[in-house]
Amino acid sequence: MTTTAQLFEEPFDADEYIERLAWRTPGGGSKGGVEAFDPKRLLEEFENHIEELKQLDEKIQRRVEKLEHQCHREAKEFAHKVQDLQRSNQVAFQHFQELDEHISYVATKVCHLGDQLEGVNTPRQRAVEAQRLMTYFNEFLDGDLRSDVFSNPDKIKEAADIIQKLHLIYHDLERQLIQEFTAAQRRGEIGRMREVAAVLLHFKGYAHCVDVYIKQCQEAHVREKLDDTRHSDVEQYLRNLYDLYTRTTLLATKLSEFNLGSDKHTFLSKLIKSIFSSYLESYIDMEKDYLRTRGAMILQRYYDSKNHQKRPIGTGSIQELKERIRQRTNLPLGPSIDTHGETFLSPELVVNLLQETRHAFERCHRLSDPADLPKNAFVIFLLLVEHLCVEHIDYALEIGLSAIPSSDAKNANLYFLDVVQQANSIFHLFDKQFNDQLMPLISSSPKLAECLHKKKEVIEQMEVKLDTGIDRTLNCMVGQMKHILATEQKKTDFKPEDENNVMIQYTTACAKVCAYVSRQVEHVRKSMDGKNVDTVLTELGVRFHRLIHEHLQQYNYSSMGGMLAICDVAEYRRCAKDFRVPLVLQLFDTLHALCNLLVVAPDNLKQVCSGEQLTNLDRNLLHAFVQLRVDYRSARLGRHFS
């Protein structure tokens, strides 16, 4: 089998190739059987074929080497051609750049030349145009229109253009004359003003000349009143601005009644705006600075008159934690200060702050742009809250809370109720100004919700401190009662040595406690108003009853001692009537009924326990009172509760 390169083309299978070679070799295949198989012949054929394959491989290898050499030679030639093309391209690009620079240079020269030609030609054209307009203007002055452009109907557009240009010249000249009039007025040259006004008399702008004169006079008057005080005396500046603006708007209202033209209202409003615009733009900033400074000065002047250095009110997590503990436990965290009865609330100071704020609201209403009025009014309200509610009322409440003694203090002076009374009075004034002066300015704007929210927030913060102070004050009152009972009540009061010689109606301790309670009830009534009186007196009455109830359970009672206890409770009940609170009176009625158990005959004890006032009480409570009798064991009274 002749060996050629075509035999090895893809797909090539070596096993199939050898099988085909063996089959074509005589004696090499299975044809003819085993007897016809000749291995030597097959080996010889294989060796010859291997030689042919080697020769074919050498031939192909030489051809490959020849092609590779040719490929390398052509690659070098192509690379040389590419390099030559790149050099040619670079040279062409350089020539292009030189050409572009030359074109730019020529274009610049052409533009410069054009500008020079235009600079020469434009003045010439303007001069020609001016000469032509002057010729036409002379014709108008002479009253003899000789030019064809005014007589030829076909040139009506050109005639209109000429008249328009003359009209522009007229307006420019009129503007220059008005400017000259204004400058002369500022320099105070009356003669020059008279000359210019005489010329303007024949112009339409003469009325504008009059407007300028009025405006300059107004501005001069306004500047004279305002500029001198703008930085030296802000209070006087704000008063002058309010007064001048009010009088000017009133004058404009009166002038609008006269025949000043169809747009008289627009003209007058623009005139006022042009005079006051620079002052109105900065008004609210000046107002804020003045109120902030004035409020701080009023506060400081008051505290200086009291020789009081304001204490910093603590803030932060530790202070908040102390406040929460104090509110829930009434523990005196921190030292208690002695204010010597001073509430640190001043009606005079409050009136001054509210008066300043009232004037500020009036100025705000008059001087603010309608769109900015609610926002500016809200700013003033926040300053009032800061000075009156935070710096004065809230500070006084903090001082008042710090001055409340502990509940076990002896002979404690309780001034916090005076603080409550004055704080309520002040807040009523604050609320009145809120409704009377602030509400009309913000009632129809989104700022209303913000103001109401801020007011509610301030009220809630003060109510928390008022409630805390009142609660601690009530605790002090109860502590004082407890101290009176502990020092004045003797064990022998209810177990007298001589049962037949008891001449008193009630004990000394009871008399002193009732006198103290009556004073405190009267104090509460003077310090509170409305439903707050009943609320506080109800709480005080409940605590008063609890104290007496617990106090009575500390003693043992003989028959006469029980009668004396009943007399004490009757006196306590009479004192409780001053509260005018049904619940408190009912509690003492029940306590009086309980004390009857101390003196009732043993045989009637069960019947009394079933009475109207005691039948609904816990039997353990009834039993506890009966156990206080000295004859509890001897009379075997416990059997009635078994």
Side-chain angles (χ1 to χ4, degrees), residues 403-419:
I404 298 175
S406 61
S407 59
D408 56 353
K410 300 177 182 179
N411 299 319
N413 293 320
L414 303 177
Y415 298 111
F416 191 79
L417 291 180
D418 297 331
V419 177

Side-chain angles (χ1 to χ4, degrees), residues 25 55 59 251 386 416 427 442 479 579:
T25 302
Q55 292 175 4
K59 180 179 179 182
L251 177 61
E386 177 185 349
F416 191 79
F427 198 81
I442 61 171
F579 286 74

Side-chain angles (χ1 to χ4, degrees), residues 440-497:
L441 306 182
I442 61 171
S443 58
S444 58
S445 76
K447 286 295 179 182
L448 174 61
E450 292 186 46
C451 288
L452 292 174
H453 175 74
K454 184 64 179 178
K455 179 185 173 185
K456 180 182 177 183
E457 182 181 285
V458 170
I459 292 175
E460 289 175 349
Q461 290 175 354
M462 289 200 299
E463 283 181 345
V464 169
K465 293 181 180 180
L466 288 171
D467 290 345
T468 302
I470 291 172
D471 183 66
R472 293 177 58 197
T473 300
L474 294 181
N475 281 343
C476 289
M477 292 179 182
V478 174
Q480 190 67 21
M481 298 179 213
K482 188 180 296 184
H483 173 68
I484 294 173
L485 292 172
T487 54
E488 299 294 335
Q489 195 84 71
K490 300 178 178 57
K491 290 186 177 181
T492 56
D493 287 345
F494 303 114
K495 288 175 62 177
E497 296 178 358

